[in-house]
Amino acid sequence: MKKSRGSKQSHVTESPNGILVNSPTSKLKQTPKGKNASVVNRTVFLSDEDEEEKTKRMSKTKAEKSKADEAEMDEDSFLMQRRKGSAKKNRLRVDSSSNDDEEEEEEEEESDEDEDEMETEMDEDEESSDNRADAPIRNVIRKHFIDDEAEEVNVPIDEQDEELTSEDGFIVDDGEDLMTTDDEDEDSDPTAVEGEEEMVTDESSDDDLMGEDRQPETVQGALRMGFEPVNLDAFPFNVEDSLISANKTFAWLISPYDSQKFFNDVYQKTVLYVKRNNRKHYGNLFSAVSLARILEEQYLEYTTNINVALYKDGKRTTLNGKGQAYANVVRDHIQNGCSIQLVNPQTFDDRIWYICELLQELFGCFVGANTYLTPSGSAGFAPHWDDIDAFILQVEGRKHWTVYAPRDAQEELPLESSGNFSPSDLSGRRSVWEGWVETGDMLYVPRGFIHMAKTDPSTHSLHVTLSTGMHHSFANLLKHMMDDALDLLSEMRSKTRRGLPVGYLDMGGVAELPYSNEEQHIQKFVHPLYRNLRALRNMAAERMGDSAIDLMAREFFKTALPPRLTPAERERSALGAKTNLLNKKPLEWSMKNKVRIIRRHTQRLIYENEDTAFIIHRLSNSRIYEGRPETIVEFNIKVKHVKQIFPIILDVFQKVVEIS
C-alpha cells in the first residue's frame, strides 16, 4: 500500500492479545510556518490515483464543462429565490451592468488572463439570453460560479449533476466543490492546495448506517480450568510498553471477543453482549463493600459525587440531599428502592483508576467511570442515550437491559446526552438487544443508543460503567481547528481581511422582506463568502493536517487521568522519594543520573512556532475530571537539538537510560 505524503514512519507489532500496535518511530513533524502552535505546512489528503486515470478523469471533466459552456440559458434561471411561497416568481438577478462591477472587472482583467476569457463568455451570454431560458440550471451554476481549478476536484461527473434544492429554493451542488467566480487570482493564492483535484473525498454516506435493523454481536465464554481471578492491586497488565499494557487491558475487558474484530465491526455501530459464565472474571475490581468504604473514608457530596435516583411509573425522580453523603443515609435510600450512582469512582478507587488510565493509552481520550448500585425489584434511571461509549461491567447480581438503536442518520452518534424518554416516546420502537446481564458479563452500548434497565425481584445489582469518547469526534476536532485556521488564513490572505460590502444590510436576511439591494446579494456577498470558505478548506487541508492531532492531544492532556504508578515506579519518583524535609542537602542531578519515561502517552512535544517548542504532560494531573490548564515543561534548548533528542527519548521510553 502506498504511503500518503505526511505520514509518519512506523512499525507494527502484535500484542499478546491480538491487537496490532502501531508504534511511531523517531521521525518528527516538519517545523510549522506561522504563529499558531503546531501548525504544520504539509498536505496529507492526497490520493494515490495513478497518472493515467487522472488524465482520463480530467479530460472527461473538461469535456463536460465545455458542454456546459455551450448550453443556452438565461441568467435568470440561476438567481436565488428568496421566499418558499414564490419560488418561481421572485428570482434574484446578478446586476452585471453596474458601474462599480465594471470597474472591478477591469481591474481583474489586468491581473488574470483567465478572467478575461470568463468575462467575454459572460458578455456573450448576455447578448444571447433570449435563447437560453429553458437550459438546465446546473450548467449556469457551473459556468458562472465554478472556476477551472475547483471543477477539477475529484468528484465524478454523475455526482456533480445531482443537484439539491435548499429550503429557500436555491439550487446547490452536492459535490465537494464550493461555488466561486473567476474574479480572483487563485494561482497567487497562498491558501490554494497543490494538486487539489487529487484530494480524497469521503466515500461513506449516511446510507451505510443500519438503523433499527442492525444486529447485535453476542459471544459466550466458559470458565477455564485453573482460572485465577485477576488481582488489580498487583498491576496485572503492566509490561514495558504502555500501549501493549493498554491492549492487554482491553482484551481482558471484552474477552473472549476478538479485540480487532470489535473495532472493525462493533465500535460505535452496534451492541456487544459478552456472556462469560464466570462470576469472578472481574476479580476484585469493585463491590458494594468498596462503595461503603469510600462513603465512610472519603468526603463525597451529593450531585458532585453521589446521585440518588428512582424510576417508577414512567417517572424519574432525583432525591439528592445537600452536602456530604453519609453511608448510613445512603443505606436508607437503598432500602427505599433507590439506585445509588457514584459519579467518579476513579477519583476514590485505585483499581478503577488503574483500568481507566491504561485504557486512555489506547483510546487517546479521557476514560472515566460510574458505578450503579440498585436494590432488587427496582430501577433508577429513565430511558436515555449518552454522549459516550459505555462498557457495562456487571460485578454483582444481575440486571435486565433493553437497548434501542438510532433510527436514522440524524440520531446516530449524538454529541450531547439526551433527556429522559417516556414510555410513549418508545412506543412502536423495536429494540436491538434485550436480556439479562449476569455477574461477570459485559455489555457494550454505543453512543446514541437509548437504554433502560431494571433489577431482578430477588437480588440487587452493582455494575461499573467505563466511558470513553466524550468530546472526541471529528466535529470536536473541527471546532478546535477553526480558530487557528481562520487566524492563519487571515494572516496570509488579504482578501479575507476585506470589509463586508457597503449596503450588505439591504442585500438579504432570513426574514422574508423586500430588500432594496437584494440584486447585489449573490455578486457582492455570496461569491466572496464561497471563495473564503474554499480558501479555509484549502488552508485546513494543506497546513493543519498534522497539527490537528496535536490540538486534540492538548485537549486530552488537560483532562486525562495521571498514571497510576507501580510501587517500583513510585519509589523512584518525586511522589515516593521519602523526602526528609529537614535535610539541608539539595537533590543533585548530573548527566550520569538515569531516567525513564513513565508511559508512551504521558507527554507530547508541541511546536509553538519555528523556533519554540515545549512539552505537555499529564503526570501531575488531578484524578478529578475538571479540565485544568495544561501542564507545560519549557526548556531553553534550540529546536534543532530538540529534533535530535526527543525521538531518542521516545524510542527508549520504556528503558532506564543515562541522561547523557
Side-chain angles (χ1 to χ4, degrees), residues 437-470:
V437 178
E438 308 282 350
T439 303
D441 294 352
M442 193 280 298
L443 179 67
Y444 165 73
V445 178
R447 171 160 47 106
F449 280 54
I450 298 174
H451 50 278
M452 56 189 298
K454 60 183 180 181
T455 55
D456 187 287
S458 61
T459 184
H460 74 282
S461 167
L462 176 64
H463 73 265
V464 177
T465 296
L466 301 180
S467 60
T468 183
M470 184 167 64

PDB file of all heavy atoms in Angstrom, residues 437-470:
ATOM      1  N   VAL A 437     -28.103  -9.325  32.068  1.00  0.00           N
ATOM      2  CA  VAL A 437     -26.648  -9.281  32.176  1.00  0.00           C
ATOM      3  C   VAL A 437     -26.295  -9.809  33.565  1.00  0.00           C
ATOM      4  O   VAL A 437     -26.677  -9.224  34.577  1.00  0.00           O
ATOM      5  CB  VAL A 437     -26.110  -7.854  31.976  1.00  0.00           C
ATOM      6  CG1 VAL A 437     -24.595  -7.832  32.143  1.00  0.00           C
ATOM      7  CG2 VAL A 437     -26.501  -7.336  30.599  1.00  0.00           C
ATOM      8  N   GLU A 438     -25.567 -10.921  33.583  1.00  0.00           N
ATOM      9  CA  GLU A 438     -25.248 -11.615  34.836  1.00  0.00           C
ATOM     10  C   GLU A 438     -23.879 -11.187  35.357  1.00  0.00           C
ATOM     11  O   GLU A 438     -23.089 -10.565  34.647  1.00  0.00           O
ATOM     12  CB  GLU A 438     -25.259 -13.133  34.613  1.00  0.00           C
ATOM     13  CG  GLU A 438     -26.514 -13.687  33.956  1.00  0.00           C
ATOM     14  CD  GLU A 438     -27.678 -13.809  34.928  1.00  0.00           C
ATOM     15  OE1 GLU A 438     -27.433 -13.644  36.150  1.00  0.00           O
ATOM     16  OE2 GLU A 438     -28.800 -14.085  34.471  1.00  0.00           O
ATOM     17  N   THR A 439     -23.603 -11.530  36.602  1.00  0.00           N
ATOM     18  CA  THR A 439     -22.302 -11.231  37.201  1.00  0.00           C
ATOM     19  C   THR A 439     -21.179 -11.813  36.340  1.00  0.00           C
ATOM     20  O   THR A 439     -21.205 -12.975  35.969  1.00  0.00           O
ATOM     21  CB  THR A 439     -22.214 -11.819  38.617  1.00  0.00           C
ATOM     22  OG1 THR A 439     -23.280 -11.301  39.413  1.00  0.00           O
ATOM     23  CG2 THR A 439     -20.883 -11.479  39.264  1.00  0.00           C
ATOM     24  N   GLY A 440     -20.196 -10.975  36.014  1.00  0.00           N
ATOM     25  CA  GLY A 440     -19.083 -11.399  35.161  1.00  0.00           C
ATOM     26  C   GLY A 440     -19.285 -11.083  33.695  1.00  0.00           C
ATOM     27  O   GLY A 440     -18.339 -11.181  32.906  1.00  0.00           O
ATOM     28  N   ASP A 441     -20.511 -10.700  33.295  1.00  0.00           N
ATOM     29  CA  ASP A 441     -20.802 -10.392  31.888  1.00  0.00           C
ATOM     30  C   ASP A 441     -20.415  -8.951  31.564  1.00  0.00           C
ATOM     31  O   ASP A 441     -20.169  -8.120  32.444  1.00  0.00           O
ATOM     32  CB  ASP A 441     -22.280 -10.606  31.579  1.00  0.00           C
ATOM     33  CG  ASP A 441     -22.706 -12.071  31.675  1.00  0.00           C
ATOM     34  OD1 ASP A 441     -21.807 -12.930  31.829  1.00  0.00           O
ATOM     35  OD2 ASP A 441     -23.913 -12.336  31.621  1.00  0.00           O
ATOM     36  N   MET A 442     -20.418  -8.646  30.249  1.00  0.00           N
ATOM     37  CA  MET A 442     -20.122  -7.303  29.776  1.00  0.00           C
ATOM     38  C   MET A 442     -21.112  -6.930  28.672  1.00  0.00           C
ATOM     39  O   MET A 442     -21.426  -7.741  27.808  1.00  0.00           O
ATOM     40  CB  MET A 442     -18.690  -7.223  29.227  1.00  0.00           C
ATOM     41  CG  MET A 442     -18.158  -5.802  28.992  1.00  0.00           C
ATOM     42  SD  MET A 442     -18.702  -5.001  27.467  1.00  0.00           S
ATOM     43  CE  MET A 442     -18.030  -6.071  26.224  1.00  0.00           C
ATOM     44  N   LEU A 443     -21.605  -5.693  28.714  1.00  0.00           N
ATOM     45  CA  LEU A 443     -22.500  -5.170  27.681  1.00  0.00           C
ATOM     46  C   LEU A 443     -21.926  -3.856  27.174  1.00  0.00           C
ATOM     47  O   LEU A 443     -21.695  -2.933  27.956  1.00  0.00           O
ATOM     48  CB  LEU A 443     -23.907  -4.948  28.244  1.00  0.00           C
ATOM     49  CG  LEU A 443     -24.954  -4.387  27.265  1.00  0.00           C
ATOM     50  CD1 LEU A 443     -25.268  -5.398  26.162  1.00  0.00           C
ATOM     51  CD2 LEU A 443     -26.232  -4.002  28.014  1.00  0.00           C
ATOM     52  N   TYR A 444     -21.693  -3.785  25.857  1.00  0.00           N
ATOM     53  CA  TYR A 444     -21.212  -2.544  25.243  1.00  0.00           C
ATOM     54  C   TYR A 444     -22.380  -1.839  24.568  1.00  0.00           C
ATOM     55  O   TYR A 444     -23.087  -2.432  23.745  1.00  0.00           O
ATOM     56  CB  TYR A 444     -20.117  -2.835  24.213  1.00  0.00           C
ATOM     57  CG  TYR A 444     -19.830  -1.661  23.305  1.00  0.00           C
ATOM     58  CD1 TYR A 444     -19.151  -0.532  23.772  1.00  0.00           C
ATOM     59  CD2 TYR A 444     -20.248  -1.670  21.971  1.00  0.00           C
ATOM     60  CE1 TYR A 444     -18.899   0.546  22.941  1.00  0.00           C
ATOM     61  CE2 TYR A 444     -20.000  -0.588  21.135  1.00  0.00           C
ATOM     62  CZ  TYR A 444     -19.324   0.509  21.621  1.00  0.00           C
ATOM     63  OH  TYR A 444     -19.083   1.589  20.801  1.00  0.00           O
ATOM     64  N   VAL A 445     -22.595  -0.557  24.927  1.00  0.00           N
ATOM     65  CA  VAL A 445     -23.673   0.259  24.356  1.00  0.00           C
ATOM     66  C   VAL A 445     -23.035   1.484  23.695  1.00  0.00           C
ATOM     67  O   VAL A 445     -22.446   2.318  24.381  1.00  0.00           O
ATOM     68  CB  VAL A 445     -24.680   0.702  25.433  1.00  0.00           C
ATOM     69  CG1 VAL A 445     -25.764   1.577  24.818  1.00  0.00           C
ATOM     70  CG2 VAL A 445     -25.291  -0.507  26.118  1.00  0.00           C
ATOM     71  N   PRO A 446     -23.141   1.605  22.374  1.00  0.00           N
ATOM     72  CA  PRO A 446     -22.518   2.750  21.700  1.00  0.00           C
ATOM     73  C   PRO A 446     -23.201   4.066  22.045  1.00  0.00           C
ATOM     74  O   PRO A 446     -24.348   4.105  22.489  1.00  0.00           O
ATOM     75  CB  PRO A 446     -22.701   2.425  20.203  1.00  0.00           C
ATOM     76  CG  PRO A 446     -23.028   0.972  20.138  1.00  0.00           C
ATOM     77  CD  PRO A 446     -23.735   0.662  21.416  1.00  0.00           C
ATOM     78  N   ARG A 447     -22.498   5.131  21.803  1.00  0.00           N
ATOM     79  CA  ARG A 447     -23.038   6.485  21.963  1.00  0.00           C
ATOM     80  C   ARG A 447     -24.300   6.636  21.115  1.00  0.00           C
ATOM     81  O   ARG A 447     -24.336   6.268  19.949  1.00  0.00           O
ATOM     82  CB  ARG A 447     -21.968   7.492  21.528  1.00  0.00           C
ATOM     83  CG  ARG A 447     -22.436   8.916  21.424  1.00  0.00           C
ATOM     84  CD  ARG A 447     -21.257   9.886  21.485  1.00  0.00           C
ATOM     85  NE  ARG A 447     -20.153   9.529  20.621  1.00  0.00           N
ATOM     86  CZ  ARG A 447     -19.858  10.168  19.466  1.00  0.00           C
ATOM     87  NH1 ARG A 447     -20.616  11.152  19.034  1.00  0.00           N
ATOM     88  NH2 ARG A 447     -18.803   9.812  18.761  1.00  0.00           N
ATOM     89  N   GLY A 448     -25.349   7.205  21.730  1.00  0.00           N
ATOM     90  CA  GLY A 448     -26.576   7.470  20.999  1.00  0.00           C
ATOM     91  C   GLY A 448     -27.597   6.352  21.031  1.00  0.00           C
ATOM     92  O   GLY A 448     -28.693   6.517  20.485  1.00  0.00           O
ATOM     93  N   PHE A 449     -27.295   5.210  21.663  1.00  0.00           N
ATOM     94  CA  PHE A 449     -28.249   4.112  21.770  1.00  0.00           C
ATOM     95  C   PHE A 449     -29.077   4.305  23.049  1.00  0.00           C
ATOM     96  O   PHE A 449     -28.526   4.393  24.151  1.00  0.00           O
ATOM     97  CB  PHE A 449     -27.533   2.761  21.825  1.00  0.00           C
ATOM     98  CG  PHE A 449     -27.099   2.238  20.478  1.00  0.00           C
ATOM     99  CD1 PHE A 449     -26.315   2.995  19.628  1.00  0.00           C
ATOM    100  CD2 PHE A 449     -27.477   0.965  20.063  1.00  0.00           C
ATOM    101  CE1 PHE A 449     -25.913   2.519  18.388  1.00  0.00           C
ATOM    102  CE2 PHE A 449     -27.079   0.477  18.830  1.00  0.00           C
ATOM    103  CZ  PHE A 449     -26.301   1.254  17.988  1.00  0.00           C
ATOM    104  N   ILE A 450     -30.393   4.378  22.917  1.00  0.00           N
ATOM    105  CA  ILE A 450     -31.267   4.509  24.084  1.00  0.00           C
ATOM    106  C   ILE A 450     -31.218   3.210  24.881  1.00  0.00           C
ATOM    107  O   ILE A 450     -31.281   2.114  24.311  1.00  0.00           O
ATOM    108  CB  ILE A 450     -32.704   4.816  23.642  1.00  0.00           C
ATOM    109  CG1 ILE A 450     -32.753   6.153  22.898  1.00  0.00           C
ATOM    110  CG2 ILE A 450     -33.635   4.868  24.849  1.00  0.00           C
ATOM    111  CD1 ILE A 450     -34.114   6.466  22.292  1.00  0.00           C
ATOM    112  N   HIS A 451     -31.119   3.328  26.207  1.00  0.00           N
ATOM    113  CA  HIS A 451     -31.057   2.132  27.034  1.00  0.00           C
ATOM    114  C   HIS A 451     -31.816   2.365  28.338  1.00  0.00           C
ATOM    115  O   HIS A 451     -31.939   3.494  28.817  1.00  0.00           O
ATOM    116  CB  HIS A 451     -29.604   1.735  27.327  1.00  0.00           C
ATOM    117  CG  HIS A 451     -28.751   2.859  27.833  1.00  0.00           C
ATOM    118  ND1 HIS A 451     -28.166   3.787  26.997  1.00  0.00           N
ATOM    119  CD2 HIS A 451     -28.387   3.217  29.099  1.00  0.00           C
ATOM    120  CE1 HIS A 451     -27.475   4.658  27.717  1.00  0.00           C
ATOM    121  NE2 HIS A 451     -27.599   4.341  29.001  1.00  0.00           N
ATOM    122  N   MET A 452     -32.317   1.280  28.902  1.00  0.00           N
ATOM    123  CA  MET A 452     -33.018   1.297  30.182  1.00  0.00           C
ATOM    124  C   MET A 452     -32.773  -0.043  30.860  1.00  0.00           C
ATOM    125  O   MET A 452     -32.492  -1.054  30.205  1.00  0.00           O
ATOM    126  CB  MET A 452     -34.514   1.533  29.974  1.00  0.00           C
ATOM    127  CG  MET A 452     -35.186   0.538  29.041  1.00  0.00           C
ATOM    128  SD  MET A 452     -36.883   0.975  28.595  1.00  0.00           S
ATOM    129  CE  MET A 452     -37.675   0.945  30.202  1.00  0.00           C
ATOM    130  N   ALA A 453     -32.855  -0.056  32.212  1.00  0.00           N
ATOM    131  CA  ALA A 453     -32.515  -1.270  32.944  1.00  0.00           C
ATOM    132  C   ALA A 453     -33.335  -1.375  34.224  1.00  0.00           C
ATOM    133  O   ALA A 453     -33.792  -0.369  34.774  1.00  0.00           O
ATOM    134  CB  ALA A 453     -31.018  -1.294  33.268  1.00  0.00           C
ATOM    135  N   LYS A 454     -33.494  -2.619  34.706  1.00  0.00           N
ATOM    136  CA  LYS A 454     -34.178  -2.881  35.971  1.00  0.00           C
ATOM    137  C   LYS A 454     -33.576  -4.131  36.590  1.00  0.00           C
ATOM    138  O   LYS A 454     -32.985  -4.974  35.900  1.00  0.00           O
ATOM    139  CB  LYS A 454     -35.681  -3.074  35.747  1.00  0.00           C
ATOM    140  CG  LYS A 454     -36.022  -4.234  34.820  1.00  0.00           C
ATOM    141  CD  LYS A 454     -37.522  -4.331  34.586  1.00  0.00           C
ATOM    142  CE  LYS A 454     -37.850  -5.506  33.643  1.00  0.00           C
ATOM    143  NZ  LYS A 454     -39.310  -5.601  33.376  1.00  0.00           N
ATOM    144  N   THR A 455     -33.721  -4.261  37.908  1.00  0.00           N
ATOM    145  CA  THR A 455     -33.127  -5.390  38.620  1.00  0.00           C
ATOM    146  C   THR A 455     -34.127  -6.532  38.779  1.00  0.00           C
ATOM    147  O   THR A 455     -35.336  -6.365  38.623  1.00  0.00           O
ATOM    148  CB  THR A 455     -32.628  -4.958  40.008  1.00  0.00           C
ATOM    149  OG1 THR A 455     -33.712  -4.342  40.720  1.00  0.00           O
ATOM    150  CG2 THR A 455     -31.477  -3.981  39.881  1.00  0.00           C
ATOM    151  N   ASP A 456     -33.577  -7.669  39.123  1.00  0.00           N
ATOM    152  CA  ASP A 456     -34.376  -8.861  39.401  1.00  0.00           C
ATOM    153  C   ASP A 456     -35.091  -8.682  40.749  1.00  0.00           C
ATOM    154  O   ASP A 456     -34.527  -8.100  41.678  1.00  0.00           O
ATOM    155  CB  ASP A 456     -33.446 -10.078  39.452  1.00  0.00           C
ATOM    156  CG  ASP A 456     -34.202 -11.378  39.566  1.00  0.00           C
ATOM    157  OD1 ASP A 456     -34.731 -11.652  40.658  1.00  0.00           O
ATOM    158  OD2 ASP A 456     -34.265 -12.126  38.572  1.00  0.00           O
ATOM    159  N   PRO A 457     -36.330  -9.160  40.883  1.00  0.00           N
ATOM    160  CA  PRO A 457     -37.044  -9.018  42.163  1.00  0.00           C
ATOM    161  C   PRO A 457     -36.341  -9.699  43.335  1.00  0.00           C
ATOM    162  O   PRO A 457     -36.615  -9.382  44.496  1.00  0.00           O
ATOM    163  CB  PRO A 457     -38.400  -9.669  41.889  1.00  0.00           C
ATOM    164  CG  PRO A 457     -38.571  -9.585  40.413  1.00  0.00           C
ATOM    165  CD  PRO A 457     -37.204  -9.733  39.836  1.00  0.00           C
ATOM    166  N   SER A 458     -35.424 -10.632  43.031  1.00  0.00           N
ATOM    167  CA  SER A 458     -34.829 -11.421  44.112  1.00  0.00           C
ATOM    168  C   SER A 458     -33.403 -11.020  44.472  1.00  0.00           C
ATOM    169  O   SER A 458     -32.840 -11.552  45.437  1.00  0.00           O
ATOM    170  CB  SER A 458     -34.836 -12.904  43.725  1.00  0.00           C
ATOM    171  OG  SER A 458     -34.055 -13.121  42.544  1.00  0.00           O
ATOM    172  N   THR A 459     -32.766 -10.111  43.708  1.00  0.00           N
ATOM    173  CA  THR A 459     -31.375  -9.770  44.016  1.00  0.00           C
ATOM    174  C   THR A 459     -31.040  -8.355  43.550  1.00  0.00           C
ATOM    175  O   THR A 459     -31.667  -7.822  42.641  1.00  0.00           O
ATOM    176  CB  THR A 459     -30.397 -10.771  43.352  1.00  0.00           C
ATOM    177  OG1 THR A 459     -29.056 -10.470  43.759  1.00  0.00           O
ATOM    178  CG2 THR A 459     -30.473 -10.694  41.835  1.00  0.00           C
ATOM    179  N   HIS A 460     -30.046  -7.761  44.200  1.00  0.00           N
ATOM    180  CA  HIS A 460     -29.596  -6.420  43.837  1.00  0.00           C
ATOM    181  C   HIS A 460     -28.684  -6.490  42.614  1.00  0.00           C
ATOM    182  O   HIS A 460     -28.329  -7.575  42.129  1.00  0.00           O
ATOM    183  CB  HIS A 460     -28.854  -5.780  45.008  1.00  0.00           C
ATOM    184  CG  HIS A 460     -27.485  -6.341  45.218  1.00  0.00           C
ATOM    185  ND1 HIS A 460     -27.246  -7.561  45.832  1.00  0.00           N
ATOM    186  CD2 HIS A 460     -26.252  -5.857  44.878  1.00  0.00           C
ATOM    187  CE1 HIS A 460     -25.956  -7.799  45.871  1.00  0.00           C
ATOM    188  NE2 HIS A 460     -25.327  -6.776  45.302  1.00  0.00           N
ATOM    189  N   SER A 461     -28.262  -5.328  42.156  1.00  0.00           N
ATOM    190  CA  SER A 461     -27.329  -5.241  41.023  1.00  0.00           C
ATOM    191  C   SER A 461     -26.290  -4.176  41.317  1.00  0.00           C
ATOM    192  O   SER A 461     -26.603  -3.099  41.839  1.00  0.00           O
ATOM    193  CB  SER A 461     -28.070  -4.897  39.725  1.00  0.00           C
ATOM    194  OG  SER A 461     -27.163  -4.515  38.712  1.00  0.00           O
ATOM    195  N   LEU A 462     -25.038  -4.482  40.956  1.00  0.00           N
ATOM    196  CA  LEU A 462     -23.965  -3.495  41.000  1.00  0.00           C
ATOM    197  C   LEU A 462     -23.152  -3.637  39.721  1.00  0.00           C
ATOM    198  O   LEU A 462     -22.656  -4.725  39.415  1.00  0.00           O
ATOM    199  CB  LEU A 462     -23.060  -3.715  42.220  1.00  0.00           C
ATOM    200  CG  LEU A 462     -21.834  -2.785  42.298  1.00  0.00           C
ATOM    201  CD1 LEU A 462     -22.250  -1.325  42.452  1.00  0.00           C
ATOM    202  CD2 LEU A 462     -20.913  -3.204  43.461  1.00  0.00           C
ATOM    203  N   HIS A 463     -23.071  -2.558  38.964  1.00  0.00           N
ATOM    204  CA  HIS A 463     -22.225  -2.604  37.773  1.00  0.00           C
ATOM    205  C   HIS A 463     -21.360  -1.363  37.687  1.00  0.00           C
ATOM    206  O   HIS A 463     -21.678  -0.301  38.246  1.00  0.00           O
ATOM    207  CB  HIS A 463     -23.058  -2.788  36.487  1.00  0.00           C
ATOM    208  CG  HIS A 463     -23.830  -1.584  36.055  1.00  0.00           C
ATOM    209  ND1 HIS A 463     -25.160  -1.375  36.387  1.00  0.00           N
ATOM    210  CD2 HIS A 463     -23.466  -0.506  35.301  1.00  0.00           C
ATOM    211  CE1 HIS A 463     -25.580  -0.247  35.848  1.00  0.00           C
ATOM    212  NE2 HIS A 463     -24.583   0.309  35.200  1.00  0.00           N
ATOM    213  N   VAL A 464     -20.236  -1.499  36.991  1.00  0.00           N
ATOM    214  CA  VAL A 464     -19.305  -0.403  36.712  1.00  0.00           C
ATOM    215  C   VAL A 464     -19.418  -0.081  35.232  1.00  0.00           C
ATOM    216  O   VAL A 464     -19.312  -0.972  34.386  1.00  0.00           O
ATOM    217  CB  VAL A 464     -17.853  -0.797  37.056  1.00  0.00           C
ATOM    218  CG1 VAL A 464     -16.897   0.335  36.696  1.00  0.00           C
ATOM    219  CG2 VAL A 464     -17.723  -1.179  38.520  1.00  0.00           C
ATOM    220  N   THR A 465     -19.651   1.179  34.920  1.00  0.00           N
ATOM    221  CA  THR A 465     -19.673   1.628  33.522  1.00  0.00           C
ATOM    222  C   THR A 465     -18.392   2.392  33.226  1.00  0.00           C
ATOM    223  O   THR A 465     -18.114   3.414  33.853  1.00  0.00           O
ATOM    224  CB  THR A 465     -20.890   2.530  33.246  1.00  0.00           C
ATOM    225  OG1 THR A 465     -22.088   1.779  33.418  1.00  0.00           O
ATOM    226  CG2 THR A 465     -20.846   3.060  31.818  1.00  0.00           C
ATOM    227  N   LEU A 466     -17.600   1.869  32.285  1.00  0.00           N
ATOM    228  CA  LEU A 466     -16.437   2.591  31.787  1.00  0.00           C
ATOM    229  C   LEU A 466     -16.863   3.385  30.567  1.00  0.00           C
ATOM    230  O   LEU A 466     -17.513   2.848  29.662  1.00  0.00           O
ATOM    231  CB  LEU A 466     -15.307   1.617  31.419  1.00  0.00           C
ATOM    232  CG  LEU A 466     -14.803   0.711  32.545  1.00  0.00           C
ATOM    233  CD1 LEU A 466     -13.693  -0.209  32.040  1.00  0.00           C
ATOM    234  CD2 LEU A 466     -14.309   1.527  33.735  1.00  0.00           C
ATOM    235  N   SER A 467     -16.512   4.652  30.526  1.00  0.00           N
ATOM    236  CA  SER A 467     -16.973   5.526  29.441  1.00  0.00           C
ATOM    237  C   SER A 467     -15.788   6.115  28.696  1.00  0.00           C
ATOM    238  O   SER A 467     -14.782   6.517  29.292  1.00  0.00           O
ATOM    239  CB  SER A 467     -17.844   6.652  30.002  1.00  0.00           C
ATOM    240  OG  SER A 467     -17.121   7.437  30.929  1.00  0.00           O
ATOM    241  N   THR A 468     -15.938   6.174  27.377  1.00  0.00           N
ATOM    242  CA  THR A 468     -14.893   6.738  26.533  1.00  0.00           C
ATOM    243  C   THR A 468     -15.529   7.512  25.386  1.00  0.00           C
ATOM    244  O   THR A 468     -16.695   7.297  25.050  1.00  0.00           O
ATOM    245  CB  THR A 468     -13.968   5.629  25.979  1.00  0.00           C
ATOM    246  OG1 THR A 468     -12.914   6.220  25.206  1.00  0.00           O
ATOM    247  CG2 THR A 468     -14.739   4.668  25.098  1.00  0.00           C
ATOM    248  N   GLY A 469     -14.762   8.410  24.790  1.00  0.00           N
ATOM    249  CA  GLY A 469     -15.208   9.094  23.581  1.00  0.00           C
ATOM    250  C   GLY A 469     -15.950  10.397  23.796  1.00  0.00           C
ATOM    251  O   GLY A 469     -16.460  10.958  22.835  1.00  0.00           O
ATOM    252  N   MET A 470     -16.011  10.909  25.024  1.00  0.00           N
ATOM    253  CA  MET A 470     -16.707  12.179  25.236  1.00  0.00           C
ATOM    254  C   MET A 470     -15.885  13.328  24.641  1.00  0.00           C
ATOM    255  O   MET A 470     -14.686  13.438  24.868  1.00  0.00           O
ATOM    256  CB  MET A 470     -16.945  12.428  26.725  1.00  0.00           C
ATOM    257  CG  MET A 470     -17.753  13.680  27.002  1.00  0.00           C
ATOM    258  SD  MET A 470     -18.360  13.777  28.709  1.00  0.00           S
ATOM    259  CE  MET A 470     -16.816  13.871  29.611  1.00  0.00           C
TER     260      MET A 470
END
